[in-house]
Amino acid sequence: MKFCSECASPVSLSIPAGDNRPRYVCGSCATIHYQNPKMVLGSIPVWERDGELKVLLCKRAIEPRYGYWTLPAGFMENNETTGEAAMRETQEEAGANIRLGNLFTLLNVARVHQVHMFYLAELLDLDFAPGEESLEVQLFTEKEIPWDDLAFPTIRTTLELFFADRIKIREGGSYGFHTQDIVRNMRSDLEP
């Protein structure tokens, strides 16, 4: 940040009185510019018929990780709830109509200043199509998922936890709520 969004004067990095972290502070109007993590919201859209469960994935048409597979997800907008953001992103990226379930994963990606959250979701129909940010969308069984071509560690972690919980469900259990810190390096498993 170079200039104040309130008065357009230059800002400098300093620790304001009563604070303990460096912040961008305007030397003219004294506005303190706080920067906070971004929220990434998405869903795990599933279609289950005749005992076969499939998950809807999107192939990215944008960087980072162009051409890699992901769950439909993106940045939360102002004036929407986390659930609304997950539903909007699913519609935008996969053109999919879903019934939103419970929050399933909350993943902290501190090194890129993000928190990723994924909701369980049921596809209401098979009327889906790629949005502007997707090259294609496709349903996959667990065995068909392109594990080596997943875009981000948060996607892999969420899918691994989802399928582990599916085993518990077959044994009479239920889906859990999972939270983890994702610390993998961007080069080996790129994170947005």
Side-chain angles (χ1 to χ4, degrees):
M1 179 175 227
K2 294 182 181 183
F3 299 100
C4 179
S5 59
E6 298 295 320
C7 72
S9 296
V11 296
S12 62
L13 199 58
S14 63
I15 299 175
D19 204 336
N20 61 4
R21 295 176 186 266
R23 313 282 184 185
Y24 287 103
V25 179
C26 179
S28 181
C29 73
T31 297
I32 301 169
H33 298 276
Y34 295 94
Q35 295 178 317
N36 302 104
K38 293 187 183 245
M39 308 295 281
V40 174
L41 273 295
S43 71
I44 310 163
V46 299
W47 181 260
E48 188 170 11
R49 293 295 183 271
D50 302 322
E52 183 177 61
L53 180 125
K54 294 185 177 187
V55 176
L56 187 68
L57 297 179
C58 305
K59 186 179 261 191
R60 292 177 60 84
I62 59 171
E63 292 294 349
R65 302 295 276 174
Y66 178 94
Y68 285 81
W69 291 93
T70 185
L71 290 165
F75 291 112
M76 183 175 176
E77 299 288 348
N78 290 332
N79 297 314
E80 68 182 355
T81 67
T82 56
E84 289 169 344
M87 290 181 70
R88 175 185 52 75
E89 286 292 341
T90 302
Q91 181 58 229
E92 286 178 3
E93 294 190 5
N97 302 306
I98 59 170
R99 179 179 301 113
L100 204 62
N102 291 331
L103 184 60
F104 183 70
T105 53
L106 185 151
L107 306 168
N108 298 296
V109 194
R111 66 186 162 69
V112 292
H113 320 294
Q114 296 176 2
V115 177
H116 293 205
M117 290 182 251
F118 291 92
Y119 280 85
L120 298 169
E122 177 187 348
L123 284 165
L124 298 176
D125 53 51
L126 295 177
D127 184 23
F128 53 81
E132 285 187 30
E133 296 181 3
S134 300
L135 295 170
E136 62 181 287
V137 291
Q138 184 176 331
L139 285 168
F140 294 94
T141 65
E142 180 180 8
K143 290 180 181 177
E144 296 169 335
I145 288 177
W147 293 101
D148 292 336
D149 292 323
L150 294 177
F152 309 112
T154 53
I155 303 306
R156 174 179 287 281
T157 298
T158 295
L159 288 170
E160 288 171 348
L161 290 167
F162 175 77
F163 287 113
D165 276 10
R166 290 294 298 175
I167 293 169
K168 293 176 188 173
I169 288 170
R170 287 193 292 272
E171 297 169 352
S174 61
Y175 288 110
F177 171 69
H178 306 275
T179 182
Q180 287 187 20
D181 297 335
I182 304 296
V183 294
R184 294 182 210 159
N185 184 315
M186 282 185 67
R187 290 299 120 210
S188 62
D189 286 310
L190 195 65
E191 194 69 47

mmCIF file of all heavy atoms in Angstrom, residues 142-167:
data_model
loop_
_atom_site.group_PDB
_atom_site.id
_atom_site.type_symbol
_atom_site.label_atom_id
_atom_site.label_comp_id
_atom_site.label_asym_id
_atom_site.label_seq_id
_atom_site.Cartn_x
_atom_site.Cartn_y
_atom_site.Cartn_z
ATOM 1 N N GLU A 142 -14.570 -41.491 -6.182
ATOM 2 C CA GLU A 142 -13.317 -41.336 -5.430
ATOM 3 C C GLU A 142 -12.128 -41.875 -6.216
ATOM 4 O O GLU A 142 -11.070 -41.243 -6.276
ATOM 5 C CB GLU A 142 -13.422 -42.049 -4.080
ATOM 6 C CG GLU A 142 -12.165 -41.930 -3.251
ATOM 7 C CD GLU A 142 -12.255 -42.628 -1.910
ATOM 8 O OE1 GLU A 142 -13.241 -43.346 -1.659
ATOM 9 O OE2 GLU A 142 -11.322 -42.449 -1.100
ATOM 10 N N LYS A 143 -12.285 -43.023 -6.854
ATOM 11 C CA LYS A 143 -11.181 -43.632 -7.607
ATOM 12 C C LYS A 143 -10.828 -42.837 -8.860
ATOM 13 O O LYS A 143 -9.698 -42.909 -9.339
ATOM 14 C CB LYS A 143 -11.528 -45.068 -7.985
ATOM 15 C CG LYS A 143 -11.548 -46.001 -6.800
ATOM 16 C CD LYS A 143 -11.904 -47.406 -7.210
ATOM 17 C CE LYS A 143 -11.936 -48.307 -5.973
ATOM 18 N NZ LYS A 143 -12.332 -49.671 -6.272
ATOM 19 N N GLU A 144 -11.786 -42.101 -9.410
ATOM 20 C CA GLU A 144 -11.548 -41.353 -10.659
ATOM 21 C C GLU A 144 -10.964 -39.966 -10.426
ATOM 22 O O GLU A 144 -10.480 -39.335 -11.371
ATOM 23 C CB GLU A 144 -12.875 -41.189 -11.419
ATOM 24 C CG GLU A 144 -13.497 -42.476 -11.886
ATOM 25 C CD GLU A 144 -14.919 -42.295 -12.393
ATOM 26 O OE1 GLU A 144 -15.601 -41.321 -11.977
ATOM 27 O OE2 GLU A 144 -15.361 -43.132 -13.194
ATOM 28 N N ILE A 145 -10.996 -39.478 -9.210
ATOM 29 C CA ILE A 145 -10.506 -38.118 -8.942
ATOM 30 C C ILE A 145 -9.056 -38.002 -9.392
ATOM 31 O O ILE A 145 -8.224 -38.858 -9.065
ATOM 32 C CB ILE A 145 -10.659 -37.761 -7.451
ATOM 33 C CG1 ILE A 145 -12.152 -37.538 -7.148
ATOM 34 C CG2 ILE A 145 -9.846 -36.521 -7.074
ATOM 35 C CD1 ILE A 145 -12.472 -37.241 -5.722
ATOM 36 N N PRO A 146 -8.722 -36.949 -10.137
ATOM 37 C CA PRO A 146 -7.335 -36.760 -10.599
ATOM 38 C C PRO A 146 -6.449 -36.219 -9.464
ATOM 39 O O PRO A 146 -6.076 -35.048 -9.445
ATOM 40 C CB PRO A 146 -7.494 -35.749 -11.744
ATOM 41 C CG PRO A 146 -8.734 -34.983 -11.403
ATOM 42 C CD PRO A 146 -9.634 -35.940 -10.681
ATOM 43 N N TRP A 147 -6.131 -37.098 -8.516
ATOM 44 C CA TRP A 147 -5.420 -36.695 -7.299
ATOM 45 C C TRP A 147 -4.109 -35.966 -7.593
ATOM 46 O O TRP A 147 -3.741 -35.039 -6.875
ATOM 47 C CB TRP A 147 -5.166 -37.918 -6.410
ATOM 48 C CG TRP A 147 -6.436 -38.486 -5.854
ATOM 49 C CD1 TRP A 147 -7.104 -39.591 -6.314
ATOM 50 C CD2 TRP A 147 -7.213 -37.989 -4.766
ATOM 51 N NE1 TRP A 147 -8.245 -39.801 -5.572
ATOM 52 C CE2 TRP A 147 -8.333 -38.829 -4.606
ATOM 53 C CE3 TRP A 147 -7.065 -36.902 -3.900
ATOM 54 C CZ2 TRP A 147 -9.295 -38.634 -3.628
ATOM 55 C CZ3 TRP A 147 -8.027 -36.704 -2.918
ATOM 56 C CH2 TRP A 147 -9.123 -37.562 -2.786
ATOM 57 N N ASP A 148 -3.408 -36.342 -8.638
ATOM 58 C CA ASP A 148 -2.130 -35.695 -8.962
ATOM 59 C C ASP A 148 -2.314 -34.362 -9.670
ATOM 60 O O ASP A 148 -1.339 -33.629 -9.875
ATOM 61 C CB ASP A 148 -1.262 -36.615 -9.836
ATOM 62 C CG ASP A 148 -0.774 -37.838 -9.073
ATOM 63 O OD1 ASP A 148 -0.693 -37.783 -7.820
ATOM 64 O OD2 ASP A 148 -0.489 -38.855 -9.726
ATOM 65 N N ASP A 149 -3.537 -34.064 -10.066
ATOM 66 C CA ASP A 149 -3.813 -32.814 -10.782
ATOM 67 C C ASP A 149 -4.768 -31.901 -10.023
ATOM 68 O O ASP A 149 -5.461 -31.088 -10.622
ATOM 69 C CB ASP A 149 -4.382 -33.120 -12.170
ATOM 70 C CG ASP A 149 -3.350 -33.761 -13.078
ATOM 71 O OD1 ASP A 149 -2.165 -33.372 -13.001
ATOM 72 O OD2 ASP A 149 -3.717 -34.660 -13.858
ATOM 73 N N LEU A 150 -4.815 -32.031 -8.696
ATOM 74 C CA LEU A 150 -5.628 -31.121 -7.886
ATOM 75 C C LEU A 150 -4.870 -29.813 -7.706
ATOM 76 O O LEU A 150 -3.646 -29.809 -7.546
ATOM 77 C CB LEU A 150 -5.966 -31.746 -6.537
ATOM 78 C CG LEU A 150 -6.878 -32.975 -6.598
ATOM 79 C CD1 LEU A 150 -7.080 -33.553 -5.204
ATOM 80 C CD2 LEU A 150 -8.214 -32.641 -7.248
ATOM 81 N N ALA A 151 -5.589 -28.722 -7.733
ATOM 82 C CA ALA A 151 -4.970 -27.403 -7.752
ATOM 83 C C ALA A 151 -4.283 -27.009 -6.455
ATOM 84 O O ALA A 151 -3.203 -26.430 -6.485
ATOM 85 C CB ALA A 151 -6.024 -26.346 -8.124
ATOM 86 N N PHE A 152 -4.898 -27.301 -5.303
ATOM 87 C CA PHE A 152 -4.398 -26.751 -4.045
ATOM 88 C C PHE A 152 -4.441 -27.776 -2.914
ATOM 89 O O PHE A 152 -5.295 -28.659 -2.905
ATOM 90 C CB PHE A 152 -5.234 -25.531 -3.635
ATOM 91 C CG PHE A 152 -5.378 -24.513 -4.721
ATOM 92 C CD1 PHE A 152 -6.612 -24.285 -5.306
ATOM 93 C CD2 PHE A 152 -4.291 -23.784 -5.167
ATOM 94 C CE1 PHE A 152 -6.758 -23.344 -6.309
ATOM 95 C CE2 PHE A 152 -4.422 -22.848 -6.178
ATOM 96 C CZ PHE A 152 -5.658 -22.625 -6.749
ATOM 97 N N PRO A 153 -3.564 -27.635 -1.922
ATOM 98 C CA PRO A 153 -3.599 -28.530 -0.764
ATOM 99 C C PRO A 153 -4.946 -28.506 -0.027
ATOM 100 O O PRO A 153 -5.356 -29.512 0.527
ATOM 101 C CB PRO A 153 -2.480 -28.012 0.142
ATOM 102 C CG PRO A 153 -1.551 -27.303 -0.765
ATOM 103 C CD PRO A 153 -2.416 -26.729 -1.856
ATOM 104 N N THR A 154 -5.625 -27.381 -0.006
ATOM 105 C CA THR A 154 -6.916 -27.311 0.682
ATOM 106 C C THR A 154 -7.954 -28.199 -0.003
ATOM 107 O O THR A 154 -8.836 -28.758 0.664
ATOM 108 C CB THR A 154 -7.444 -25.869 0.771
ATOM 109 O OG1 THR A 154 -7.469 -25.286 -0.528
ATOM 110 C CG2 THR A 154 -6.584 -25.027 1.694
ATOM 111 N N ILE A 155 -7.851 -28.351 -1.315
ATOM 112 C CA ILE A 155 -8.779 -29.213 -2.059
ATOM 113 C C ILE A 155 -8.480 -30.670 -1.737
ATOM 114 O O ILE A 155 -9.378 -31.451 -1.427
ATOM 115 C CB ILE A 155 -8.688 -28.949 -3.577
ATOM 116 C CG1 ILE A 155 -8.967 -27.479 -3.904
ATOM 117 C CG2 ILE A 155 -9.627 -29.880 -4.345
ATOM 118 C CD1 ILE A 155 -10.267 -26.932 -3.369
ATOM 119 N N ARG A 156 -7.210 -31.038 -1.799
ATOM 120 C CA ARG A 156 -6.810 -32.408 -1.476
ATOM 121 C C ARG A 156 -7.223 -32.752 -0.044
ATOM 122 O O ARG A 156 -7.811 -33.808 0.206
ATOM 123 C CB ARG A 156 -5.303 -32.599 -1.646
ATOM 124 C CG ARG A 156 -4.832 -33.982 -1.183
ATOM 125 C CD ARG A 156 -3.350 -34.188 -1.383
ATOM 126 N NE ARG A 156 -3.012 -34.374 -2.776
ATOM 127 C CZ ARG A 156 -3.169 -35.507 -3.453
ATOM 128 N NH1 ARG A 156 -3.663 -36.563 -2.836
ATOM 129 N NH2 ARG A 156 -2.840 -35.606 -4.708
ATOM 130 N N THR A 157 -6.913 -31.889 0.900
ATOM 131 C CA THR A 157 -7.249 -32.133 2.307
ATOM 132 C C THR A 157 -8.750 -32.305 2.482
ATOM 133 O O THR A 157 -9.200 -33.245 3.142
ATOM 134 C CB THR A 157 -6.731 -30.983 3.186
ATOM 135 O OG1 THR A 157 -5.303 -30.921 3.078
ATOM 136 C CG2 THR A 157 -7.137 -31.162 4.640
ATOM 137 N N THR A 158 -9.532 -31.422 1.895
ATOM 138 C CA THR A 158 -10.993 -31.499 2.023
ATOM 139 C C THR A 158 -11.520 -32.801 1.437
ATOM 140 O O THR A 158 -12.353 -33.476 2.060
ATOM 141 C CB THR A 158 -11.657 -30.279 1.356
ATOM 142 O OG1 THR A 158 -11.260 -29.102 2.083
ATOM 143 C CG2 THR A 158 -13.170 -30.387 1.349
ATOM 144 N N LEU A 159 -11.044 -33.189 0.259
ATOM 145 C CA LEU A 159 -11.514 -34.432 -0.364
ATOM 146 C C LEU A 159 -11.073 -35.660 0.435
ATOM 147 O O LEU A 159 -11.851 -36.608 0.605
ATOM 148 C CB LEU A 159 -11.032 -34.517 -1.812
ATOM 149 C CG LEU A 159 -11.719 -33.562 -2.784
ATOM 150 C CD1 LEU A 159 -11.007 -33.561 -4.134
ATOM 151 C CD2 LEU A 159 -13.189 -33.904 -2.945
ATOM 152 N N GLU A 160 -9.850 -35.658 0.942
ATOM 153 C CA GLU A 160 -9.402 -36.789 1.757
ATOM 154 C C GLU A 160 -10.260 -36.932 3.013
ATOM 155 O O GLU A 160 -10.673 -38.046 3.382
ATOM 156 C CB GLU A 160 -7.924 -36.614 2.137
ATOM 157 C CG GLU A 160 -6.986 -36.825 0.974
ATOM 158 C CD GLU A 160 -5.536 -36.457 1.275
ATOM 159 O OE1 GLU A 160 -5.263 -35.809 2.318
ATOM 160 O OE2 GLU A 160 -4.668 -36.818 0.460
ATOM 161 N N LEU A 161 -10.546 -35.820 3.666
ATOM 162 C CA LEU A 161 -11.392 -35.861 4.863
ATOM 163 C C LEU A 161 -12.813 -36.295 4.521
ATOM 164 O O LEU A 161 -13.441 -37.050 5.271
ATOM 165 C CB LEU A 161 -11.398 -34.485 5.544
ATOM 166 C CG LEU A 161 -10.091 -34.073 6.209
ATOM 167 C CD1 LEU A 161 -10.107 -32.594 6.555
ATOM 168 C CD2 LEU A 161 -9.814 -34.922 7.445
ATOM 169 N N PHE A 162 -13.310 -35.826 3.387
ATOM 170 C CA PHE A 162 -14.665 -36.182 2.959
ATOM 171 C C PHE A 162 -14.787 -37.694 2.751
ATOM 172 O O PHE A 162 -15.714 -38.332 3.262
ATOM 173 C CB PHE A 162 -15.021 -35.430 1.671
ATOM 174 C CG PHE A 162 -16.348 -35.824 1.102
ATOM 175 C CD1 PHE A 162 -17.523 -35.352 1.655
ATOM 176 C CD2 PHE A 162 -16.415 -36.690 0.025
ATOM 177 C CE1 PHE A 162 -18.757 -35.727 1.139
ATOM 178 C CE2 PHE A 162 -17.645 -37.076 -0.507
ATOM 179 C CZ PHE A 162 -18.812 -36.585 0.054
ATOM 180 N N PHE A 163 -13.855 -38.282 2.022
ATOM 181 C CA PHE A 163 -13.936 -39.713 1.756
ATOM 182 C C PHE A 163 -13.653 -40.543 3.007
ATOM 183 O O PHE A 163 -14.213 -41.632 3.167
ATOM 184 C CB PHE A 163 -13.050 -40.100 0.575
ATOM 185 C CG PHE A 163 -13.621 -39.638 -0.742
ATOM 186 C CD1 PHE A 163 -12.985 -38.662 -1.487
ATOM 187 C CD2 PHE A 163 -14.813 -40.161 -1.221
ATOM 188 C CE1 PHE A 163 -13.532 -38.213 -2.692
ATOM 189 C CE2 PHE A 163 -15.372 -39.724 -2.425
ATOM 190 C CZ PHE A 163 -14.718 -38.754 -3.157
ATOM 191 N N ALA A 164 -12.824 -40.039 3.918
ATOM 192 C CA ALA A 164 -12.612 -40.727 5.200
ATOM 193 C C ALA A 164 -13.918 -40.729 6.006
ATOM 194 O O ALA A 164 -14.276 -41.741 6.620
ATOM 195 C CB ALA A 164 -11.493 -40.059 5.987
ATOM 196 N N ASP A 165 -14.640 -39.612 5.984
ATOM 197 C CA ASP A 165 -15.926 -39.555 6.685
ATOM 198 C C ASP A 165 -16.967 -40.454 6.021
ATOM 199 O O ASP A 165 -17.850 -40.984 6.693
ATOM 200 C CB ASP A 165 -16.437 -38.119 6.760
ATOM 201 C CG ASP A 165 -15.845 -37.341 7.923
ATOM 202 O OD1 ASP A 165 -14.892 -37.837 8.562
ATOM 203 O OD2 ASP A 165 -16.333 -36.220 8.199
ATOM 204 N N ARG A 166 -16.880 -40.634 4.708
ATOM 205 C CA ARG A 166 -17.822 -41.539 4.017
ATOM 206 C C ARG A 166 -17.680 -42.972 4.548
ATOM 207 O O ARG A 166 -18.672 -43.683 4.680
ATOM 208 C CB ARG A 166 -17.585 -41.527 2.508
ATOM 209 C CG ARG A 166 -17.972 -40.247 1.809
ATOM 210 C CD ARG A 166 -19.425 -39.973 1.840
ATOM 211 N NE ARG A 166 -20.179 -41.018 1.139
ATOM 212 C CZ ARG A 166 -21.498 -41.065 1.097
ATOM 213 N NH1 ARG A 166 -22.222 -40.157 1.678
ATOM 214 N NH2 ARG A 166 -22.096 -42.040 0.442
ATOM 215 N N ILE A 167 -16.462 -43.369 4.872
ATOM 216 C CA ILE A 167 -16.245 -44.699 5.459
ATOM 217 C C ILE A 167 -16.957 -44.773 6.807
ATOM 218 O O ILE A 167 -17.634 -45.759 7.122
ATOM 219 C CB ILE A 167 -14.735 -45.003 5.598
ATOM 220 C CG1 ILE A 167 -14.107 -45.135 4.211
ATOM 221 C CG2 ILE A 167 -14.503 -46.260 6.435
ATOM 222 C CD1 ILE A 167 -12.591 -45.173 4.210
#
